[in-house]
Amino acid sequence: MRPQRRRYHRGVRPHLPFALAASSLVFACDPPPMTPDAGTDDASSLEDARLDAAPERDAAPPPEPMAAVAPFVQYVDPTVGTGGAHYNDIGSVHPGPQMPFGMIRPGPDTVNEMGFAPTFTHCSGYHADDEYVTGFSHTRMHGVGINDWNVVAFMPTIGFDASRASETGIRSHFDPEREHAGVGAYSTVLDDPMFGGREIAVELTAARRAAVTRITFPERGTGGDVDASVVIDLGHHQNGVDILDGELTVLPEAREVEGRVHFSGGYSGRFGGMDVFFVMRFSRAFESHGTWDAITEGAPGALHEGETAHTGPSGGAFVRFDVGTDREVRVGVAISFLDVARARMNLDDEANDLDFIRLRGSLEATWERLLSQVEVEARFERDVRIFYSALYHSFFMPTLATEADGHYRGIDGMEHEADGFTYYTDFSLWDTYRTMHSLVTLLAPETQRDFVRSLIAMGQQRGTYPRWPLGVGETNGMLGDPAPIVIADSYLRGVTDFDLREAYDIALASADADPPGARGSMEPYLRLGYAPIESGGSAASKTLEFAYADHAVGVLAEALGETSDAARFATRAENFRNIYDPAQGFFVGRRESGAFEPVQAHLWQDVYAEGNARQYLWLAPQDVDGLADTLGGREMALARLTEFFEESYAERRTPAPPQWYWQGNEPDIHAPYLFALWGERSAGARAISWVRAVHYGLGPKGLPGNDDSGTMSAWYVFSALGIFPIAATEDFVLGTPLFTHAVVHLAEGDLEIEAPAASDVTIYPRAITFDREAVTTPTMTHAQLAGGGVLAFDLSSSP
C-alpha cells in the first residue's frame, strides 16, 4: 500500500487576496496569502489532540481585520466534508456542482484502489481519498448517512468492447492533483493505463433540472485512432442500492439516449424504490452506437452493434464519436420523476443549446447572489473560507421535484400540479428543523415558504406529515414529528403565506391519534405522558421529541386562536419532565408501570436514538426554564452544563462517537447556547468558540460528521455571526461573533453585526447593544433582527 497523501487542498479554486477588489467572476491564479495563518487547513490534525486545542496561530497580536470582497464564490471550498473515516469527520458531501436546492446533482462516483466503496464512507457516492471513477451520476443526497440515489450515469472511455462490459471494466483512474471542485463546475482527468498513456478531460456543470458535461478526448497518437466512447450504464449504483429495473432507447437522429432507472436504496427501498427518467443529448452525431449486456457470473459480456433498445437492471448503451478533428463532446442530461417527456422538456427548457460556458456562468452567478447576501470582515481568511463554504452547503438539500411545467409526482405516487408554489422533496427533517430552516427563512423566505407548502402538500396526500420524505415516497426515517416544528418556526419568523388551518389540521392527525406511518407510540404517550419502553426502541428520545413537537402544535393552535388546544399542547410540551429520573439525574427510559430504567450515561442504549443520556439531557429547548427546574434549579442546571462541557473539552477524539458533547449529531447542538439562556453568557461564549475552532475546518475533513442536509453547516453560519435560533420560537440567542463586522442584507433592511475586538481569544461579551440601546436579555426576536439595525458586541479576552 502506498502511503496516503494529504490531499485536502486538491482542486479548490484559487482565491483572491482578501482585500483585493474584484468586479467580475474572474479569478486570480496563485494569489499571495492574505495574512500569515498557522491554523491548519483541515480538521485532521485534531484527531490525536485534546479537543480543547484551538488551531494554533501566531502568539503576536492578531492581524487587522480585512473585508471579504466579491466575488464571494471565490471563498467556497466545495471539498469540505467530502472525506473522513469516522463518526467525527465523515461529512458525506459530494464535490459536484448544483443549483441551490437543485433537482440534478452531477458528479463522480468513486472507489478506492481495491475497487471498494465502503457504504459508511460513500453515502454521496464519492470519497476524497479515492482515485478511481466508476461513472458520473446525476442524483444524490447531501450530507446524509444513508446510501441512496446515485443513478443515471455515463462514463467516457477509450476502446469499449465486450471484455469491459461491466462497471469494473469501464472505471478509470484519475489524478487527484488534477481534480478541481469549484462553485460553477467540477473537473477531472481520466488517465487509466488502459488508455495507453492518453487522457480524457471531464468537466461538469448544472442548471436546476439539467446538467451539461464537456468531454475532451485525446488527440490521435502513436496508438492510432481514438476509439472515443460514452457508455451509459443502467446498472450503475453505489453499495447499499439495488437497480431493480431499467430501460433505454438510443435515438441516433436526435443524438439522444432516453430511458428510465428503477432503484431501491437504504431509504427508498422502504417504499419499494422509485423511477428516475432521463434524456441524454449529445452535441455531436454518433459515429456508431449499440447496446451492451453486462458481464455476469454465468455469462460473458456482449456488445450489440447498431441496436437501439435495452431493458433490464444492468447493461445499457454506448455511443462512439469521430474525434479526429474535433475532440470535444458535450452531453446534456436532464431528469424527471414523472416521465421521459418531462425529462426532455426539462432539458429543452434549461440546456437545449448544451452551452457549457453559459450554464457554468449562470450557476456561478446564482450562487454569487446568494452568498453576497452576507458580507463579513475577519482577521483570518481561513475563517472566511470556512464561513462561505458552510453557507454554500446550507443550501444544497431539500431537492427540487417540480418539473418545468409545474407538475410533480407526490409521495402518494400520483401526478400533481404545484399551484402557486414550487414543490420540493428529500427533507431530512429530524436534522434540519434545528438550524437549516431558520437560516433559509432569514435569507430566502420565499424558498422556505415553498418548503412549508411542500410539507403541507405531502400531509394532504398521506393524511399526516412525513418525517423523512425521499423522492416520491415516505421513508419513516428517524423519529418524532419534526414537520410541525419546521412549520411553527417558519410562521413565528414571518413566513405566513400558507394555509395555517390546513397545516394545523394535518398536525392534529398525528398529535392526537396514532395513524400508521406517523409518530408511533402515541396511544401510551397520550395515556401516560411518555412513550414507554414497551412501545418500541428510542423510547426516551421519542418522549423528548414528541414534547418538542407538541410545543410546535401549540404554537399553531395559538396562531389560529384555538386557545383550549394551545393550553393543552403547552402542557404536553412539558412531558419531558415525565422521564427524568432524579436518582440517576438523566432523562431515561420508563416502563408502563412507571419504573425508570437504569442507564449507563456514556453508552448508546436502546432508549436513545443516535446518542446517549448525557447528550439527550438538554433536549427541551422549547422550555429552558422548565428544563432548569427539572434539573434541580438554574444553579444545578448550570453546574451540570459546565461539567458537560469541561469533560467535552478534555475528551479525546476517537473513531467512535464522543461520550460528551457531540457536534456531529443533532440532539445537543443547541447546548452551548443554554449557558446564555441560563445567565452565563461568558461560559457560552467559550463553548461556542471551542466548537467553531475545533470541529470545523477546510478540506475533506472539515465537518464534525455528516452535514445532515446542511444542518451542521447552518450551525456554523449562525454561530459565526453570533446568533442562534431556537426552533419553533421567534428567538435568536445572542452568542459571540467570530467576525469583527458582518452585514446581512435582508428584505426589510441590513442587519449589521459589529464586534471590532473579535479574535481567537477576545470572545467574551461585556455588553451588547442594538441600535445603541443596551440589550439586557439573552435573546432577540427574528422580527427585530430581520427588520435591520446594528447589533454590537463589546468583547473582552476575559470572562
Side-chain angles (χ1 to χ4, degrees):
M1 296 284 289
R2 61 179 181 271
Q4 283 288 317
R5 290 172 289 166
R6 285 174 61 91
R7 293 193 274 110
Y8 59 81
H9 62 281
R10 72 184 189 194
V12 178
R13 182 185 293 280
H15 48 275
L16 294 172
F18 209 14
L20 176 64
S23 59
S24 69
L25 296 182
V26 179
F27 300 97
C29 297
D30 300 320
M34 177 198 78
T35 180
D37 183 354
T40 59
D41 273 353
D42 68 345
S44 61
S45 63
L46 300 173
E47 291 181 357
D48 299 319
R50 292 173 63 88
L51 292 186
D52 60 347
E56 294 181 4
R57 286 174 172 151
D58 199 316
E64 288 298 309
M66 302 178 77
V69 295
F72 296 96
V73 294
Q74 69 180 302
Y75 300 112
V76 174
D77 177 2
T79 72
V80 169
T82 58
H86 309 130
Y87 280 98
N88 302 309
D89 58 15
I90 292 177
S92 296
V93 174
H94 73 95
Q98 71 161 85
M99 279 285 187
F101 306 121
M103 176 185 289
I104 200 162
R105 298 186 175 103
D109 295 333
T110 62
V111 295
N112 61 26
E113 61 187 5
M114 304 299 293
F116 299 137
T119 56
F120 185 64
T121 59
H122 286 74
C123 292
S124 75
Y126 174 93
H127 193 278
D129 289 341
D130 294 339
E131 296 186 8
Y132 290 84
V133 175
T134 60
F136 295 91
S137 67
H138 291 76
T139 66
R140 67 196 77 237
M141 292 190 288
H142 168 68
V144 176
I146 296 293
N147 298 94
D148 227 312
W149 294 99
N150 291 95
V151 295
V152 184
F154 61 76
M155 187 67 180
T157 191
I158 298 172
F160 181 62
D161 58 32
S163 69
R164 297 176 55 204
S166 67
E167 184 172 276
T168 301
I170 61 175
R171 81 182 184 202
S172 172
H173 181 268
F174 70 98
D175 182 359
E177 300 300 335
R178 300 168 71 188
E179 184 184 28
H180 171 79
V183 169
Y186 167 90
S187 64
T188 192
V189 176
L190 307 180
D191 59 358
D192 201 86
M194 77 176 77
F195 299 163
R198 295 173 290 191
E199 299 175 336
I200 303 172
V202 182
E203 304 165 88
L204 300 89
T205 192
R208 300 186 76 195
R209 305 170 183 89
V212 171
T213 299
R214 183 165 62 183
I215 305 167
T216 304
F217 286 98
E219 295 179 348
R220 179 176 179 175
T222 56
D225 290 339
V226 175
D227 182 4
S229 304
V230 176
V231 180
I232 297 91
D233 184 2
L234 283 177
H236 178 91
H237 64 283
Q238 59 166 297
N239 284 343
V241 179
D242 294 319
I243 304 300
L244 302 182
D245 193 18
E247 57 185 322
L248 61 75
T249 303
V250 182
L251 305 170
E253 292 186 1
R255 308 190 312 276
E256 291 181 353
V257 178
E258 65 180 27
R260 171 187 65 90
V261 175
H262 187 87
F263 68 94
S264 176
Y267 261 9
S268 58
R270 296 183 178 187
F271 55 82
M274 63 174 283
D275 287 327
V276 176
F277 301 89
F278 66 89
V279 170
M280 299 181 182
R281 182 177 299 158
F282 294 81
S283 62
R284 304 266 302 280
F286 306 150
E287 182 181 43
S288 62
H289 64 272
T291 62
W292 59 282
D293 299 329
I295 297 170
T296 65
E297 213 171 301
L303 269 58
H304 307 285
E305 297 284 348
E307 293 292 322
T308 59
H310 180 86
T311 61
S314 64
F318 60 89
V319 292
R320 298 193 185 100
F321 300 92
D322 179 357
V323 294
T325 58
D326 184 355
R327 297 186 294 132
E328 180 179 296
V329 175
R330 298 185 307 279
V331 52
V333 179
I335 61 171
S336 167
F337 303 145
L338 282 174
D339 50 42
V340 166
R342 263 42 172 267
R344 182 170 285 106
M345 175 187 65
N346 292 339
L347 183 58
D348 289 340
D349 185 67
E350 297 184 349
N352 184 48
D353 56 3
L354 305 185
D355 189 333
F356 180 90
I357 295 174
R358 178 182 66 81
L359 257 66
R360 181 181 62 190
S362 175
L363 180 57
E364 287 186 334
T366 298
W367 279 111
E368 180 66 14
R369 285 192 296 272
L370 192 155
L371 298 172
S372 65
Q373 285 187 254
V374 186
E375 299 184 55
V376 301
E377 175 187 276
R379 300 187 187 280
F380 295 99
E381 185 178 0
R382 177 180 183 274
D383 296 333
V384 175
R385 295 178 64 204
I386 295 172
F387 176 81
Y388 283 107
S389 301
L391 183 57
Y392 174 70
H393 283 137
S394 297
F395 282 75
F396 264 38
M397 204 172 93
T399 302
L400 174 68
T402 312
E403 314 290 347
D405 65 357
H407 288 238
Y408 68 92
R409 190 178 300 282
I411 59 172
D412 58 356
M414 305 298 292
E415 180 175 338
H416 301 269
E417 182 176 3
D419 185 10
F421 74 106
T422 301
Y423 180 83
Y424 291 84
T425 187
D426 294 351
F427 285 89
S428 183
L429 293 167
W430 183 81
D431 306 300
T432 57
Y433 84 73
R434 304 166 204 263
T435 60
M436 190 276 284
H437 288 285
S438 298
L439 182 60
V440 177
T441 297
L442 182 67
L443 297 180
E446 299 85 0
T447 300
Q448 183 58 28
R449 181 210 62 173
D450 288 341
F451 290 167
V452 170
R453 289 191 175 188
S454 298
L455 293 174
I456 292 172
M458 293 176 183
Q460 291 171 326
Q461 292 162 22
R462 66 190 305 268
T464 59
Y465 288 117
R467 285 202 304 269
W468 217 121
L470 181 148
V472 301
E474 162 61 0
T475 70
N476 290 310
M478 298 310 296
L479 70 159
D481 196 3
I485 302 177
V486 170
I487 296 171
D489 186 77
S490 303
Y491 186 86
L492 290 172
R493 297 180 188 276
V495 175
T496 59
D497 186 15
F498 60 89
D499 190 334
L500 181 61
R501 171 59 64 179
E502 183 70 8
Y504 178 62
D505 288 344
I506 297 170
L508 283 181
S510 57
D512 278 345
D514 200 5
R519 291 189 186 189
S521 304
M522 281 302 289
E523 186 281 323
Y525 177 79
L526 294 172
R527 173 167 46 86
L528 300 170
Y530 60 90
I533 291 173
E534 292 88 344
S535 68
S538 304
S541 297
K542 284 181 181 177
T543 298
L544 297 172
E545 294 285 356
F546 290 176
Y548 206 161
D550 287 342
H551 161 77
V553 177
V555 167
L556 301 179
E558 184 174 357
L560 284 166
E562 299 284 358
T563 55
S564 177
D565 277 359
R568 180 166 61 91
F569 282 105
T571 299
R572 281 173 48 175
E574 297 184 28
N575 279 347
F576 62 88
R577 297 174 182 262
N578 297 334
I579 61 168
Y580 184 75
D581 180 8
Q584 299 186 78
F586 291 103
F587 296 118
V588 302
R590 195 173 184 183
R591 297 196 172 274
E592 286 253 7
S593 65
F596 293 109
E597 192 76 358
V599 297
Q600 293 179 281
H602 65 293
L603 295 179
W604 281 25
Q605 294 178 280
D606 186 59
V607 296
Y608 304 107
E610 298 185 2
N612 61 28
R614 292 168 178 162
Q615 293 152 359
Y616 270 98
L617 184 59
W618 319 107
L619 189 53
Q622 75 276 15
D623 183 7
V624 293
D625 291 336
L627 176 59
D629 180 66
T630 301
L631 298 181
R634 183 163 296 194
E635 185 176 340
M636 179 62 71
L638 280 169
R640 295 289 303 276
L641 188 61
T642 299
E643 177 198 27
F644 180 69
F645 275 98
E646 290 296 337
E647 294 292 342
S648 300
Y649 301 148
E651 187 176 14
R652 291 182 179 275
R653 184 172 295 186
T654 71
Q659 297 179 11
W660 296 90
Y661 181 79
W662 189 10
Q663 181 63 25
N665 208 19
E666 279 66 25
D668 64 352
I669 61 173
H670 63 285
Y673 291 90
L674 291 176
F675 280 113
L677 292 170
W678 287 335
E680 289 288 345
R681 196 184 298 278
S682 290
R686 180 189 177 199
I688 295 162
S689 180
W690 168 76
V691 175
R692 287 189 314 224
V694 170
H695 293 277
Y696 289 87
L698 295 170
K701 295 182 179 181
L703 286 173
N706 286 337
D707 201 21
D708 288 337
S709 188
T711 300
M712 297 304 159
S713 288
W715 187 100
Y716 187 89
V717 170
F718 278 128
S719 295
L721 291 174
I723 59 177
F724 189 83
I726 299 299
T729 76
E730 62 181 355
D731 293 333
F732 282 111
V733 185
L734 303 180
T736 180
L738 175 64
F739 303 120
T740 54
H741 185 253
V743 181
V744 185
H745 300 293
L746 303 172
E748 296 183 26
D750 286 353
L751 171 63
E752 293 191 54
I753 301 172
E754 295 182 346
S759 71
D760 289 346
V761 296
T762 308
I763 62 174
Y764 300 105
R766 292 185 296 194
I768 302 175
T769 62
F770 187 70
D771 285 344
R772 299 186 179 182
E773 296 289 331
V775 177
T776 58
T777 59
T779 63
M780 290 186 67
T781 68
H782 180 101
Q784 288 174 308
L785 297 180
V790 179
L791 179 63
F793 291 77
D794 178 12
L795 300 181
S796 169
S797 59
S798 301

